[in-house]
mmCIF file of all heavy atoms in Angstrom:
data_model
loop_
_atom_site.group_PDB
_atom_site.id
_atom_site.type_symbol
_atom_site.label_atom_id
_atom_site.label_comp_id
_atom_site.label_asym_id
_atom_site.label_seq_id
_atom_site.Cartn_x
_atom_site.Cartn_y
_atom_site.Cartn_z
ATOM 1 N N ILE R 299 -4.658 -0.831 12.328
ATOM 2 C CA ILE R 299 -5.692 -1.626 11.757
ATOM 3 C C ILE R 299 -6.025 -2.680 12.750
ATOM 4 O O ILE R 299 -5.163 -3.327 13.304
ATOM 5 C CB ILE R 299 -5.292 -2.264 10.378
ATOM 6 C CG1 ILE R 299 -5.021 -1.171 9.363
ATOM 7 C CG2 ILE R 299 -6.296 -3.257 9.902
ATOM 8 C CD1 ILE R 299 -4.479 -1.776 8.014
ATOM 9 N N SER R 300 -7.319 -2.854 12.994
ATOM 10 C CA SER R 300 -7.807 -3.896 13.901
ATOM 11 C C SER R 300 -8.703 -4.886 13.142
ATOM 12 O O SER R 300 -9.554 -4.547 12.416
ATOM 13 C CB SER R 300 -8.626 -3.276 15.088
ATOM 14 O OG SER R 300 -7.807 -2.477 15.884
ATOM 15 N N ILE R 301 -8.382 -6.167 13.362
ATOM 16 C CA ILE R 301 -9.082 -7.291 12.681
ATOM 17 C C ILE R 301 -9.713 -8.153 13.787
ATOM 18 O O ILE R 301 -8.945 -8.720 14.593
ATOM 19 C CB ILE R 301 -8.115 -8.069 11.816
ATOM 20 C CG1 ILE R 301 -7.351 -7.200 10.899
ATOM 21 C CG2 ILE R 301 -8.909 -9.195 11.065
ATOM 22 C CD1 ILE R 301 -6.242 -7.925 10.066
ATOM 23 N N PRO R 302 -11.035 -8.290 13.815
ATOM 24 C CA PRO R 302 -11.645 -9.136 14.868
ATOM 25 C C PRO R 302 -11.352 -10.627 14.639
ATOM 26 O O PRO R 302 -11.404 -11.107 13.508
ATOM 27 C CB PRO R 302 -13.121 -8.830 14.710
ATOM 28 C CG PRO R 302 -13.268 -8.394 13.291
ATOM 29 C CD PRO R 302 -11.980 -7.744 12.918
ATOM 30 N N ILE R 303 -11.049 -11.369 15.692
ATOM 31 C CA ILE R 303 -10.844 -12.810 15.662
ATOM 32 C C ILE R 303 -11.599 -13.462 16.824
ATOM 33 O O ILE R 303 -11.894 -12.825 17.822
ATOM 34 C CB ILE R 303 -9.365 -13.182 15.682
ATOM 35 C CG1 ILE R 303 -8.675 -12.547 16.939
ATOM 36 C CG2 ILE R 303 -8.663 -12.774 14.418
ATOM 37 C CD1 ILE R 303 -7.246 -13.029 17.200
ATOM 38 N N ASP R 304 -11.918 -14.754 16.646
ATOM 39 C CA ASP R 304 -12.537 -15.464 17.713
ATOM 40 C C ASP R 304 -11.551 -16.199 18.604
ATOM 41 O O ASP R 304 -10.317 -15.975 18.467
ATOM 42 C CB ASP R 304 -13.594 -16.486 17.114
ATOM 43 C CG ASP R 304 -12.917 -17.566 16.231
ATOM 44 O OD1 ASP R 304 -11.662 -17.707 16.332
ATOM 45 O OD2 ASP R 304 -13.650 -18.229 15.532
ATOM 46 N N GLU R 305 -12.003 -17.092 19.461
ATOM 47 C CA GLU R 305 -11.128 -17.721 20.440
ATOM 48 C C GLU R 305 -10.136 -18.686 19.786
ATOM 49 O O GLU R 305 -9.131 -19.082 20.415
ATOM 50 C CB GLU R 305 -11.951 -18.477 21.444
ATOM 51 C CG GLU R 305 -12.760 -17.626 22.396
ATOM 52 C CD GLU R 305 -14.011 -17.090 21.848
ATOM 53 O OE1 GLU R 305 -14.335 -17.425 20.672
ATOM 54 O OE2 GLU R 305 -14.668 -16.224 22.449
ATOM 55 N N GLN R 306 -10.363 -19.041 18.493
ATOM 56 C CA GLN R 306 -9.429 -19.855 17.769
ATOM 57 C C GLN R 306 -8.577 -19.048 16.846
ATOM 58 O O GLN R 306 -7.848 -19.684 15.966
ATOM 59 C CB GLN R 306 -10.207 -20.953 17.005
ATOM 60 C CG GLN R 306 -10.910 -21.935 17.882
ATOM 61 C CD GLN R 306 -11.675 -23.032 17.052
ATOM 62 O OE1 GLN R 306 -12.679 -22.718 16.429
ATOM 63 N NE2 GLN R 306 -11.094 -24.189 17.022
ATOM 64 N N GLY R 307 -8.580 -17.769 16.962
ATOM 65 C CA GLY R 307 -7.744 -16.937 16.116
ATOM 66 C C GLY R 307 -8.274 -16.798 14.735
ATOM 67 O O GLY R 307 -7.503 -16.483 13.790
ATOM 68 N N GLN R 308 -9.595 -17.036 14.523
ATOM 69 C CA GLN R 308 -10.177 -17.003 13.185
ATOM 70 C C GLN R 308 -10.942 -15.719 12.934
ATOM 71 O O GLN R 308 -11.585 -15.175 13.836
ATOM 72 C CB GLN R 308 -11.146 -18.229 13.026
ATOM 73 C CG GLN R 308 -10.451 -19.562 13.208
ATOM 74 C CD GLN R 308 -11.484 -20.684 13.134
ATOM 75 O OE1 GLN R 308 -11.233 -21.650 12.428
ATOM 76 N NE2 GLN R 308 -12.539 -20.569 13.850
ATOM 77 N N LEU R 309 -10.876 -15.305 11.688
ATOM 78 C CA LEU R 309 -11.706 -14.163 11.249
ATOM 79 C C LEU R 309 -12.949 -14.754 10.594
ATOM 80 O O LEU R 309 -12.940 -15.713 9.764
ATOM 81 C CB LEU R 309 -10.938 -13.412 10.173
ATOM 82 C CG LEU R 309 -11.769 -12.382 9.323
ATOM 83 C CD1 LEU R 309 -12.112 -11.190 10.179
ATOM 84 C CD2 LEU R 309 -10.932 -11.925 8.118
ATOM 85 N N ILE R 310 -14.142 -14.207 10.946
ATOM 86 C CA ILE R 310 -15.353 -14.549 10.223
ATOM 87 C C ILE R 310 -15.390 -13.710 8.967
ATOM 88 O O ILE R 310 -15.388 -12.450 9.036
ATOM 89 C CB ILE R 310 -16.587 -14.229 11.094
ATOM 90 C CG1 ILE R 310 -16.584 -15.069 12.391
ATOM 91 C CG2 ILE R 310 -17.900 -14.446 10.338
ATOM 92 C CD1 ILE R 310 -17.704 -14.727 13.339
ATOM 93 N N ILE R 311 -15.365 -14.356 7.821
ATOM 94 C CA ILE R 311 -15.231 -13.649 6.556
ATOM 95 C C ILE R 311 -16.501 -12.880 6.202
ATOM 96 O O ILE R 311 -17.587 -13.487 6.108
ATOM 97 C CB ILE R 311 -14.863 -14.617 5.399
ATOM 98 C CG1 ILE R 311 -13.598 -15.382 5.778
ATOM 99 C CG2 ILE R 311 -14.616 -13.843 4.117
ATOM 100 C CD1 ILE R 311 -13.195 -16.440 4.782
ATOM 101 N N ASN R 312 -16.367 -11.598 5.976
ATOM 102 C CA ASN R 312 -17.497 -10.731 5.628
ATOM 103 C C ASN R 312 -17.383 -10.437 4.153
ATOM 104 O O ASN R 312 -16.835 -9.406 3.783
ATOM 105 C CB ASN R 312 -17.455 -9.485 6.509
ATOM 106 C CG ASN R 312 -18.702 -8.602 6.310
ATOM 107 O OD1 ASN R 312 -19.644 -9.015 5.680
ATOM 108 N ND2 ASN R 312 -18.648 -7.426 6.872
ATOM 109 N N TYR R 313 -17.850 -11.334 3.327
ATOM 110 C CA TYR R 313 -17.676 -11.181 1.870
ATOM 111 C C TYR R 313 -18.365 -9.936 1.348
ATOM 112 O O TYR R 313 -19.466 -9.546 1.716
ATOM 113 C CB TYR R 313 -18.304 -12.376 1.182
ATOM 114 C CG TYR R 313 -17.492 -13.690 1.324
ATOM 115 C CD1 TYR R 313 -17.853 -14.656 2.242
ATOM 116 C CD2 TYR R 313 -16.376 -13.873 0.533
ATOM 117 C CE1 TYR R 313 -17.141 -15.813 2.369
ATOM 118 C CE2 TYR R 313 -15.658 -15.013 0.669
ATOM 119 C CZ TYR R 313 -16.011 -16.011 1.556
ATOM 120 O OH TYR R 313 -15.297 -17.154 1.736
ATOM 121 N N ARG R 314 -17.630 -9.280 0.451
ATOM 122 C CA ARG R 314 -18.097 -8.031 -0.183
ATOM 123 C C ARG R 314 -18.328 -8.174 -1.682
ATOM 124 O O ARG R 314 -19.116 -7.503 -2.257
ATOM 125 C CB ARG R 314 -17.105 -6.883 0.091
ATOM 126 C CG ARG R 314 -17.001 -6.453 1.509
ATOM 127 C CD ARG R 314 -18.241 -5.694 1.976
ATOM 128 N NE ARG R 314 -18.119 -5.268 3.375
ATOM 129 C CZ ARG R 314 -18.937 -4.417 3.920
ATOM 130 N NH1 ARG R 314 -19.982 -3.864 3.267
ATOM 131 N NH2 ARG R 314 -18.785 -4.125 5.193
ATOM 132 N N VAL R 315 -17.560 -9.082 -2.274
ATOM 133 C CA VAL R 315 -17.649 -9.326 -3.710
ATOM 134 C C VAL R 315 -17.686 -10.848 -3.995
ATOM 135 O O VAL R 315 -17.301 -11.650 -3.092
ATOM 136 C CB VAL R 315 -16.534 -8.690 -4.507
ATOM 137 C CG1 VAL R 315 -16.520 -7.156 -4.282
ATOM 138 C CG2 VAL R 315 -15.167 -9.225 -4.053
ATOM 139 N N SER R 316 -18.087 -11.226 -5.180
ATOM 140 C CA SER R 316 -18.084 -12.607 -5.574
ATOM 141 C C SER R 316 -16.883 -12.838 -6.464
ATOM 142 O O SER R 316 -16.243 -11.929 -6.917
ATOM 143 C CB SER R 316 -19.384 -12.930 -6.339
ATOM 144 O OG SER R 316 -19.376 -12.333 -7.596
ATOM 145 N N ALA R 317 -16.551 -14.113 -6.706
ATOM 146 C CA ALA R 317 -15.432 -14.475 -7.573
ATOM 147 C C ALA R 317 -15.633 -13.867 -8.948
ATOM 148 O O ALA R 317 -14.663 -13.422 -9.589
ATOM 149 C CB ALA R 317 -15.310 -15.985 -7.614
ATOM 150 N N GLU R 318 -16.863 -13.885 -9.439
ATOM 151 C CA GLU R 318 -17.076 -13.334 -10.737
ATOM 152 C C GLU R 318 -16.764 -11.836 -10.860
ATOM 153 O O GLU R 318 -16.452 -11.382 -11.981
ATOM 154 C CB GLU R 318 -18.581 -13.565 -11.184
ATOM 155 C CG GLU R 318 -18.986 -14.991 -11.415
ATOM 156 C CD GLU R 318 -19.132 -15.764 -10.104
ATOM 157 O OE1 GLU R 318 -19.203 -15.161 -9.028
ATOM 158 O OE2 GLU R 318 -19.060 -17.081 -10.170
ATOM 159 N N ASP R 319 -16.843 -11.117 -9.761
ATOM 160 C CA ASP R 319 -16.585 -9.712 -9.800
ATOM 161 C C ASP R 319 -15.102 -9.420 -10.117
ATOM 162 O O ASP R 319 -14.714 -8.305 -10.490
ATOM 163 C CB ASP R 319 -16.924 -9.022 -8.431
ATOM 164 C CG ASP R 319 -18.421 -9.107 -8.150
ATOM 165 O OD1 ASP R 319 -19.161 -9.095 -9.122
ATOM 166 O OD2 ASP R 319 -18.820 -9.192 -6.961
ATOM 167 N N PHE R 320 -14.268 -10.417 -9.885
ATOM 168 C CA PHE R 320 -12.827 -10.230 -10.134
ATOM 169 C C PHE R 320 -12.393 -10.526 -11.558
ATOM 170 O O PHE R 320 -11.266 -10.622 -11.912
ATOM 171 C CB PHE R 320 -12.006 -11.138 -9.210
ATOM 172 C CG PHE R 320 -11.743 -10.564 -7.870
ATOM 173 C CD1 PHE R 320 -12.521 -10.800 -6.797
ATOM 174 C CD2 PHE R 320 -10.600 -9.672 -7.666
ATOM 175 C CE1 PHE R 320 -12.308 -10.268 -5.543
ATOM 176 C CE2 PHE R 320 -10.396 -9.109 -6.452
ATOM 177 C CZ PHE R 320 -11.187 -9.441 -5.338
ATOM 178 N N HIS R 321 -13.428 -10.702 -12.402
ATOM 179 C CA HIS R 321 -13.098 -11.165 -13.823
ATOM 180 C C HIS R 321 -12.089 -10.247 -14.516
ATOM 181 O O HIS R 321 -11.198 -10.731 -15.188
ATOM 182 C CB HIS R 321 -14.433 -11.136 -14.639
ATOM 183 C CG HIS R 321 -14.236 -11.572 -16.040
ATOM 184 N ND1 HIS R 321 -13.952 -12.877 -16.395
ATOM 185 C CD2 HIS R 321 -14.207 -10.860 -17.215
ATOM 186 C CE1 HIS R 321 -13.798 -12.953 -17.729
ATOM 187 N NE2 HIS R 321 -13.958 -11.794 -18.249
ATOM 188 N N SER R 322 -12.183 -8.953 -14.263
ATOM 189 C CA SER R 322 -11.302 -8.023 -14.970
ATOM 190 C C SER R 322 -9.926 -7.903 -14.311
ATOM 191 O O SER R 322 -8.966 -7.280 -14.771
ATOM 192 C CB SER R 322 -11.890 -6.608 -15.066
ATOM 193 O OG SER R 322 -12.138 -6.098 -13.790
ATOM 194 N N GLN R 323 -9.801 -8.581 -13.072
ATOM 195 C CA GLN R 323 -8.581 -8.504 -12.320
ATOM 196 C C GLN R 323 -7.952 -9.887 -12.151
ATOM 197 O O GLN R 323 -7.185 -10.118 -11.213
ATOM 198 C CB GLN R 323 -8.791 -7.853 -10.962
ATOM 199 C CG GLN R 323 -9.143 -6.371 -11.091
ATOM 200 C CD GLN R 323 -9.682 -5.821 -9.800
ATOM 201 O OE1 GLN R 323 -10.673 -5.108 -9.743
ATOM 202 N NE2 GLN R 323 -9.028 -6.160 -8.685
ATOM 203 N N ALA R 324 -8.324 -10.806 -13.001
ATOM 204 C CA ALA R 324 -7.789 -12.154 -12.961
ATOM 205 C C ALA R 324 -7.370 -12.592 -14.347
ATOM 206 O O ALA R 324 -7.960 -12.139 -15.352
ATOM 207 C CB ALA R 324 -8.843 -13.135 -12.417
ATOM 208 N N MET R 325 -6.376 -13.493 -14.435
ATOM 209 C CA MET R 325 -5.913 -13.943 -15.681
ATOM 210 C C MET R 325 -5.282 -15.312 -15.506
ATOM 211 O O MET R 325 -4.697 -15.591 -14.459
ATOM 212 C CB MET R 325 -4.830 -12.982 -16.287
ATOM 213 C CG MET R 325 -4.321 -13.382 -17.646
ATOM 214 S SD MET R 325 -3.182 -12.135 -18.345
ATOM 215 C CE MET R 325 -4.351 -10.927 -18.910
ATOM 216 N N GLY R 326 -5.401 -16.134 -16.543
ATOM 217 C CA GLY R 326 -4.749 -17.448 -16.465
ATOM 218 C C GLY R 326 -3.278 -17.292 -16.462
ATOM 219 O O GLY R 326 -2.693 -16.398 -17.053
ATOM 220 N N TYR R 327 -2.642 -18.249 -15.739
ATOM 221 C CA TYR R 327 -1.139 -18.225 -15.596
ATOM 222 C C TYR R 327 -0.457 -18.167 -16.947
ATOM 223 O O TYR R 327 0.451 -17.432 -17.184
ATOM 224 C CB TYR R 327 -0.788 -19.487 -14.812
ATOM 225 C CG TYR R 327 0.666 -19.626 -14.419
ATOM 226 C CD1 TYR R 327 1.094 -19.261 -13.163
ATOM 227 C CD2 TYR R 327 1.604 -20.156 -15.309
ATOM 228 C CE1 TYR R 327 2.406 -19.440 -12.760
ATOM 229 C CE2 TYR R 327 2.933 -20.274 -14.966
ATOM 230 C CZ TYR R 327 3.313 -19.995 -13.674
ATOM 231 O OH TYR R 327 4.656 -20.154 -13.298
ATOM 232 N N ASN R 328 -0.942 -19.041 -17.858
ATOM 233 C CA ASN R 328 -0.236 -19.144 -19.155
ATOM 234 C C ASN R 328 -0.444 -17.837 -19.991
ATOM 235 O O ASN R 328 0.465 -17.397 -20.671
ATOM 236 C CB ASN R 328 -0.751 -20.297 -19.972
ATOM 237 C CG ASN R 328 -2.206 -20.240 -20.266
ATOM 238 O OD1 ASN R 328 -3.021 -19.720 -19.494
ATOM 239 N ND2 ASN R 328 -2.614 -20.812 -21.379
ATOM 240 N N LEU R 329 -1.620 -17.209 -19.892
ATOM 241 C CA LEU R 329 -1.851 -16.021 -20.656
ATOM 242 C C LEU R 329 -1.068 -14.848 -20.093
ATOM 243 O O LEU R 329 -0.589 -14.040 -20.870
ATOM 244 C CB LEU R 329 -3.379 -15.693 -20.633
ATOM 245 C CG LEU R 329 -4.251 -16.742 -21.338
ATOM 246 C CD1 LEU R 329 -5.741 -16.266 -21.298
ATOM 247 C CD2 LEU R 329 -3.848 -16.935 -22.773
ATOM 248 N N MET R 330 -0.988 -14.799 -18.777
ATOM 249 C CA MET R 330 -0.179 -13.647 -18.221
ATOM 250 C C MET R 330 1.315 -13.854 -18.555
ATOM 251 O O MET R 330 1.971 -12.857 -18.875
ATOM 252 C CB MET R 330 -0.375 -13.599 -16.700
ATOM 253 C CG MET R 330 0.462 -12.474 -16.053
ATOM 254 S SD MET R 330 0.084 -12.166 -14.314
ATOM 255 C CE MET R 330 -1.406 -11.190 -14.461
ATOM 256 N N ALA R 331 1.778 -15.087 -18.534
ATOM 257 C CA ALA R 331 3.140 -15.342 -18.903
ATOM 258 C C ALA R 331 3.391 -14.897 -20.301
ATOM 259 O O ALA R 331 4.441 -14.308 -20.629
ATOM 260 C CB ALA R 331 3.481 -16.809 -18.702
ATOM 261 N N LEU R 332 2.446 -15.261 -21.209
ATOM 262 C CA LEU R 332 2.573 -14.838 -22.605
ATOM 263 C C LEU R 332 2.648 -13.305 -22.795
ATOM 264 O O LEU R 332 3.464 -12.744 -23.528
ATOM 265 C CB LEU R 332 1.395 -15.477 -23.456
ATOM 266 C CG LEU R 332 1.377 -15.050 -24.956
ATOM 267 C CD1 LEU R 332 2.647 -15.540 -25.670
ATOM 268 C CD2 LEU R 332 0.140 -15.659 -25.574
ATOM 269 N N GLY R 333 1.702 -12.656 -22.052
ATOM 270 C CA GLY R 333 1.680 -11.210 -22.156
ATOM 271 C C GLY R 333 2.958 -10.557 -21.607
ATOM 272 O O GLY R 333 3.464 -9.636 -22.195
ATOM 273 N N LEU R 334 3.453 -11.042 -20.513
ATOM 274 C CA LEU R 334 4.658 -10.497 -19.928
ATOM 275 C C LEU R 334 5.868 -10.773 -20.848
ATOM 276 O O LEU R 334 6.719 -9.933 -21.028
ATOM 277 C CB LEU R 334 4.901 -11.123 -18.593
ATOM 278 C CG LEU R 334 3.929 -10.707 -17.442
ATOM 279 C CD1 LEU R 334 4.147 -11.573 -16.207
ATOM 280 C CD2 LEU R 334 4.060 -9.255 -17.057
ATOM 281 N N SER R 335 5.893 -11.979 -21.449
ATOM 282 C CA SER R 335 6.955 -12.293 -22.384
ATOM 283 C C SER R 335 6.980 -11.368 -23.583
ATOM 284 O O SER R 335 7.978 -10.860 -24.069
ATOM 285 C CB SER R 335 6.817 -13.741 -22.843
ATOM 286 O OG SER R 335 7.866 -14.072 -23.742
ATOM 287 N N ASP R 336 5.729 -11.101 -24.126
ATOM 288 C CA ASP R 336 5.575 -10.179 -25.270
ATOM 289 C C ASP R 336 6.073 -8.832 -24.943
ATOM 290 O O ASP R 336 6.769 -8.159 -25.685
ATOM 291 C CB ASP R 336 4.151 -10.158 -25.771
ATOM 292 C CG ASP R 336 3.686 -11.404 -26.453
ATOM 293 O OD1 ASP R 336 4.579 -12.196 -26.862
ATOM 294 O OD2 ASP R 336 2.453 -11.638 -26.554
ATOM 295 N N LYS R 337 5.720 -8.359 -23.750
ATOM 296 C CA LYS R 337 6.113 -7.064 -23.281
ATOM 297 C C LYS R 337 7.665 -6.940 -23.132
ATOM 298 O O LYS R 337 8.247 -5.941 -23.544
ATOM 299 C CB LYS R 337 5.417 -6.692 -21.948
ATOM 300 C CG LYS R 337 5.722 -5.269 -21.547
ATOM 301 C CD LYS R 337 4.856 -4.909 -20.289
ATOM 302 C CE LYS R 337 5.113 -3.440 -19.861
ATOM 303 N NZ LYS R 337 4.335 -3.072 -18.687
ATOM 304 N N ALA R 338 8.235 -7.980 -22.566
ATOM 305 C CA ALA R 338 9.667 -8.015 -22.372
ATOM 306 C C ALA R 338 10.419 -7.949 -23.697
ATOM 307 O O ALA R 338 11.524 -7.411 -23.808
ATOM 308 C CB ALA R 338 10.096 -9.241 -21.610
ATOM 309 N N ASN R 339 9.807 -8.481 -24.754
ATOM 310 C CA ASN R 339 10.403 -8.482 -26.090
ATOM 311 C C ASN R 339 9.900 -7.354 -26.975
ATOM 312 O O ASN R 339 10.127 -7.403 -28.180
ATOM 313 C CB ASN R 339 10.116 -9.819 -26.749
ATOM 314 C CG ASN R 339 10.806 -11.008 -26.107
ATOM 315 O OD1 ASN R 339 12.022 -10.964 -25.856
ATOM 316 N ND2 ASN R 339 10.086 -12.063 -25.798
ATOM 317 N N ASN R 340 9.238 -6.393 -26.313
ATOM 318 C CA ASN R 340 8.707 -5.204 -27.048
ATOM 319 C C ASN R 340 7.815 -5.573 -28.224
ATOM 320 O O ASN R 340 7.885 -5.010 -29.299
ATOM 321 C CB ASN R 340 9.944 -4.345 -27.536
ATOM 322 C CG ASN R 340 10.756 -3.758 -26.406
ATOM 323 O OD1 ASN R 340 10.197 -3.282 -25.446
ATOM 324 N ND2 ASN R 340 12.049 -3.858 -26.527
ATOM 325 N N GLN R 341 7.021 -6.577 -27.978
ATOM 326 C CA GLN R 341 6.091 -7.055 -29.002
ATOM 327 C C GLN R 341 4.653 -6.710 -28.567
ATOM 328 O O GLN R 341 4.334 -6.703 -27.400
ATOM 329 C CB GLN R 341 6.163 -8.538 -29.228
ATOM 330 C CG GLN R 341 7.529 -8.969 -29.750
ATOM 331 C CD GLN R 341 7.570 -10.510 -29.891
ATOM 332 O OE1 GLN R 341 6.696 -11.206 -29.549
ATOM 333 N NE2 GLN R 341 8.716 -11.031 -30.364
ATOM 334 N N ALA R 342 3.786 -6.400 -29.563
ATOM 335 C CA ALA R 342 2.367 -6.195 -29.255
ATOM 336 C C ALA R 342 1.791 -7.469 -28.777
ATOM 337 O O ALA R 342 2.202 -8.603 -29.165
ATOM 338 C CB ALA R 342 1.660 -5.710 -30.553
ATOM 339 N N SER R 343 0.808 -7.381 -27.863
ATOM 340 C CA SER R 343 0.257 -8.570 -27.243
ATOM 341 C C SER R 343 -1.222 -8.451 -27.039
ATOM 342 O O SER R 343 -1.685 -7.354 -26.625
ATOM 343 C CB SER R 343 0.906 -8.859 -25.946
ATOM 344 O OG SER R 343 0.385 -10.001 -25.293
#
């Protein structure tokens, strides 16, 4: 894999998606903790 960088070792970010596009792949810390806890206790969540 090759990643282009400039003289300062920086990548120019070539954005493909916006933050809103990650809506279905993001979760609040507290909600994920609750869901994982429910799962660990074999409870519906």
Side-chain angles (χ1 to χ4, degrees):
I299 294 177
S300 294
I301 306 172
I303 56 172
D304 64 14
E305 290 77 7
Q306 293 180 289
Q308 300 177 131
L309 168 72
I310 298 175
I311 304 174
N312 188 9
Y313 287 100
R314 294 286 179 170
V315 298
S316 68
E318 291 76 17
D319 296 330
F320 274 96
H321 180 73
S322 62
Q323 292 168 225
M325 182 176 284
Y327 185 99
N328 62 328
L329 296 181
M330 180 171 280
L332 176 60
L334 291 170
S335 178
D336 288 340
K337 185 173 182 180
N339 293 309
N340 296 314
Q341 296 177 358
S343 178

